[in-house]
Amino acid sequence: MPRKGMRSLCFSPRTLSFSTSRQSTTSESTASSTNRRRFSESMIEQTIDAAATIIMKWDADTSAYAKVTSLFYESKREALQFIRSVNELQKTMHLLVSDQGSGSEKLVRAQILMQTAMKRLQKEFYQILSMNRAHLDPESVSTRSSRTSARSSTSDFDDDDEIRTAGDSISEIEEVSSMAMSDLKLIADCMIASGYAKECMHIYKIIRKSIIDEGIYKLGIEKLSSSQVNKMEWDVLDLKIKNWLEAEKISMRTLFTGERILCDQVFATSDLIKESCFTEISKEAAILLFGFPELVAKTKKYSPEKMFRVLDMYSAISEDWKEIETIFSFESTSTVRLQSLDSLVRLSESVRSLLMDFESTIQKDSSKTMIPGGGLHPLTISSMNYLTLLADYSNILTDIISDWPPPAKSTLPASFLFSPDSEDSTVPAISVRFAWLILVLLCKLDGKAKHYKDVSLSYLFLANNLQHVISRVRTSNLQYILGEEWITKHEAK
């Protein structure tokens, strides 16, 4: 019994001590949790109060000063503080939702402050975009992106006051442009993070689309139907094509390039927003621009000058094809790429059709006038003038003619340079086509020589005209298209 009692007395204090220790730890943990909660609540209140101070200062509904003053122009430091406060407020709202639910008074107050702040930032975003139209125009933006190369190209002329003054002026414009873009990005990032991306995009799209549409209009690009283009006199259409060539160059160098750069920088944090804005702003204008060549290609006008205008338009699009793919790389702008490609296809079809028309014109020439003294026939002069001008477009024509089947071999005379029996596929299609057109001309001249009653005069006529053909070949790009073998063989004749 005594031993049992002693065991009991010995055990009880340990048990008591252990129980007391657990109670003490639980109490401390509860106190610590309470302290943390109080500290957290205190920090939340401080964050909301700090945000309220600067946000309400710039509430245009309650402050006459805020109504007429721009935050970002008045104080950049305060603008940055405003953005930081809004970002902190956003984090605080997330904490309140997770800890207290959506009905807490603090959360309601924070939401009201956030709405006020977003209203202010929308106003600032609009003001920066509208007040900096001159500095954020696509030309200024695209110029800024190539600043380094521009400066390096004038580095050897530092003593020239005019160039230095111009450089200072450009630098000033670039600086304002850069600052405006930076402020826009700051606001856009804040609004997107706060769940107000839609409002930010709406403002951006309205203002920037008006700039692109205005730019296209000033460049003379208008919406035309196929019937309207068909009804135009060639002189009128020719002027519109010349205007389009200049407009396309400016659009690709500045208008669309600058807008893509600006859009990419302002909405750098979101690819989806970036794509949505650029597409809505530029797609309509770009399709209008690149749709015009297709309308021209489909017209039924056969003026000889049309060939060169068609080739000029084809050249403009093909030379800028990489830029078109880069600028309109989004899936939602694929229609712009497709329209450009459609225009190229239509233009190439028009070139082939015009070449066949040219051949047909030679073959149908029915004039029987005999040139005195066996001189040059007008058909020879006009045809060779046309062909030498075409030869200047040899690179473009090579693309267009490369997959065009050559004239049927059965129709080629045995004297044709590229023998009908030859299976040599290395002869460029453009060489075959030009040689064929000259052959058609020579055959036609051969028929006209028969109108001379004096045989010697008819041979003189053929010799003079052939000599003119060879001379024009030797003194133009035709020599590179037809080759030395062709020239030597025809000189022998």
Side-chain angles (χ1 to χ4, degrees):
M1 285 293 293
R3 288 182 179 179
K4 289 181 180 178
M6 288 181 67
R7 284 178 184 173
S8 177
L9 287 171
C10 289
F11 180 74
S12 293
R14 290 181 62 189
T15 304
L16 181 63
S17 174
F18 175 73
S19 176
T20 302
S21 175
R22 287 187 60 187
Q23 290 175 4
S24 175
T25 301
T26 303
S27 177
E28 287 176 5
S29 176
T30 303
S32 176
S33 176
T34 302
N35 289 335
R36 280 199 303 273
R37 186 178 297 108
R38 286 174 181 172
F39 176 75
S40 177
E41 289 177 355
S42 175
M43 287 296 294
I44 287 173
E45 287 181 4
Q46 287 179 28
T47 300
I48 295 174
D49 289 341
T53 301
I54 190 167
I55 290 172
M56 296 311 296
K57 176 183 176 180
W58 290 98
D59 181 9
D61 292 337
T62 59
S63 169
Y65 173 78
K67 186 175 291 186
V68 298
T69 310
S70 170
L71 168 60
F72 276 78
Y73 279 93
E74 184 66 20
S75 171
K76 189 57 67 69
R77 180 178 296 178
E78 195 159 336
L80 293 173
Q81 183 185 344
F82 188 99
I83 294 291
R84 280 196 296 269
S85 295
V86 173
N87 289 335
E88 289 299 320
L89 184 64
Q90 177 66 15
K91 293 176 185 176
T92 300
M93 289 172 68
H94 281 297
L95 286 174
L96 288 170
V97 169
S98 60
D99 288 349
Q100 302 178 20
S102 60
S104 71
E105 291 182 6
K106 291 186 179 67
L107 182 58
V108 172
R109 184 190 176 202
Q111 287 173 333
I112 293 172
L113 283 173
M114 180 61 74
Q115 290 171 0
T116 304
M118 288 300 110
K119 189 175 179 180
R120 180 73 224 184
L121 289 182
Q122 285 180 64
K123 182 178 181 180
E124 292 292 326
F125 197 72
Y126 177 86
Q127 285 181 332
I128 294 171
L129 281 171
S130 56
M131 292 174 67
N132 286 280
R133 283 177 73 99
H135 297 116
L136 289 175
D137 70 289
E139 184 174 1
S140 298
V141 174
S142 58
T143 300
R144 174 179 172 270
S145 68
S146 57
R147 175 180 56 183
T148 304
S149 59
R151 285 184 174 176
S152 64
S153 65
T154 59
S155 60
D156 296 333
F157 303 95
D158 289 339
D159 293 333
D160 191 322
D161 291 337
E162 290 185 7
I163 291 178
R164 185 165 59 250
T165 302
D168 292 341
S169 176
I170 291 172
S171 298
E172 184 179 343
I173 292 172
E174 289 173 356
E175 185 178 351
V176 175
S177 172
S178 178
M179 189 178 299
M181 290 169 72
S182 176
D183 291 343
L184 288 170
K185 183 182 185 304
L186 201 63
I187 296 172
D189 288 348
C190 184
M191 292 185 72
I192 292 169
S194 302
Y196 284 75
K198 186 177 179 180
E199 290 77 2
C200 182
M201 291 165 64
H202 179 68
I203 295 170
Y204 188 88
K205 287 176 180 179
I206 288 177
I207 294 181
R208 296 309 301 178
K209 189 176 189 306
S210 69
I211 291 174
I212 293 295
D213 290 346
E214 182 183 330
I216 283 290
Y217 175 78
K218 285 182 176 179
L219 289 172
I221 303 301
E222 56 185 322
K223 190 170 185 178
L224 295 169
S225 66
S226 184
S227 61
Q228 285 177 308
V229 175
N230 259 319
K231 290 175 183 177
M232 287 180 187
E233 294 295 329
W234 171 252
D235 289 345
V236 176
L237 183 56
D238 189 39
L239 284 174
K240 287 192 175 295
I241 294 172
K242 288 180 181 177
N243 180 75
W244 181 89
L245 291 168
E246 187 64 25
E248 192 276 342
K249 188 188 303 179
I250 294 172
S251 296
M252 292 307 299
R253 301 295 178 274
T254 60
L255 198 64
F256 295 121
T257 302
E259 190 56 48
R260 178 63 193 266
I261 292 170
L262 181 63
C263 213
D264 284 355
Q265 294 199 24
V266 173
F267 299 109
T269 56
S270 172
D271 290 340
L272 287 175
I273 292 176
K274 186 192 307 177
E275 177 176 351
S276 174
C277 286
F278 181 74
T279 299
E280 190 162 331
I281 289 165
S282 63
K283 180 178 173 181
E284 185 180 341
I287 289 176
L288 190 63
L289 176 72
F290 291 112
F292 177 73
E294 183 178 4
L295 294 177
V296 175
K298 291 193 293 187
T299 59
K300 303 301 180 183
K301 301 181 186 299
Y302 296 117
S303 170
E305 293 86 357
K306 182 185 175 184
M307 169 69 87
F308 304 104
R309 293 293 176 227
V310 168
L311 287 169
D312 286 336
M313 288 190 288
Y314 185 97
S315 176
I317 297 177
S318 60
E319 285 178 3
D320 286 334
W321 182 250
K322 286 186 178 180
E323 285 75 11
I324 292 171
E325 286 190 310
T326 301
I327 295 170
F328 301 100
S329 59
F330 297 123
E331 181 60 32
S332 54
T333 55
S334 62
T335 48
V336 177
R337 301 194 302 272
L338 288 173
Q339 177 59 73
S340 303
L341 192 58
D342 285 345
S343 287
L344 280 177
V345 171
R346 287 286 188 177
L347 290 169
S348 64
E349 289 173 352
S350 180
V351 168
R352 293 180 182 185
S353 176
L354 289 167
L355 282 173
M356 288 190 292
D357 291 338
F358 173 63
E359 179 184 335
S360 179
T361 300
I362 296 174
Q363 291 176 335
K364 290 178 180 178
D365 187 275
S366 58
S367 61
K368 296 181 180 180
T369 304
M370 291 181 288
I371 308 302
L376 296 180
H377 197 282
L379 181 63
T380 307
I381 297 171
S382 62
S383 297
M384 290 311 298
N385 285 343
Y386 194 76
L387 288 172
T388 51
L389 287 173
L390 277 180
D392 292 335
Y393 293 87
S394 58
N395 291 334
I396 305 166
L397 286 167
T398 297
D399 290 338
I400 295 173
I401 297 175
S402 60
D403 59 346
W404 193 19
K409 290 184 177 182
S410 59
T411 65
L412 302 179
S415 60
F416 187 40
L417 169 62
F418 307 116
S419 171
D421 298 326
S422 172
E423 297 299 327
D424 185 7
S425 60
T426 61
V427 177
I430 187 173
S431 300
V432 174
R433 186 61 55 175
F434 270 81
W436 168 255
L437 289 171
I438 292 179
L439 180 62
V440 170
L441 171 63
L442 295 178
C443 288
K444 192 67 179 179
L445 292 172
D446 190 61
K448 292 183 181 299
K450 294 175 182 177
H451 294 304
Y452 287 97
K453 294 179 180 180
D454 188 339
V455 177
S456 61
L457 201 56
S458 68
Y459 278 113
L460 181 61
F461 170 79
L462 289 174
N464 284 332
N465 282 269
L466 179 57
Q467 181 58 42
H468 179 75
V469 170
I470 295 169
S471 175
R472 294 308 304 274
V473 170
R474 274 211 178 277
T475 57
S476 68
N477 283 331
L478 284 170
Q479 62 179 313
Y480 306 113
I481 295 174
L482 296 172
E484 191 62 34
E485 185 182 348
W486 186 96
I487 296 173
T488 302
K489 186 170 184 177
H490 283 77
E491 281 180 336
K493 291 182 179 180

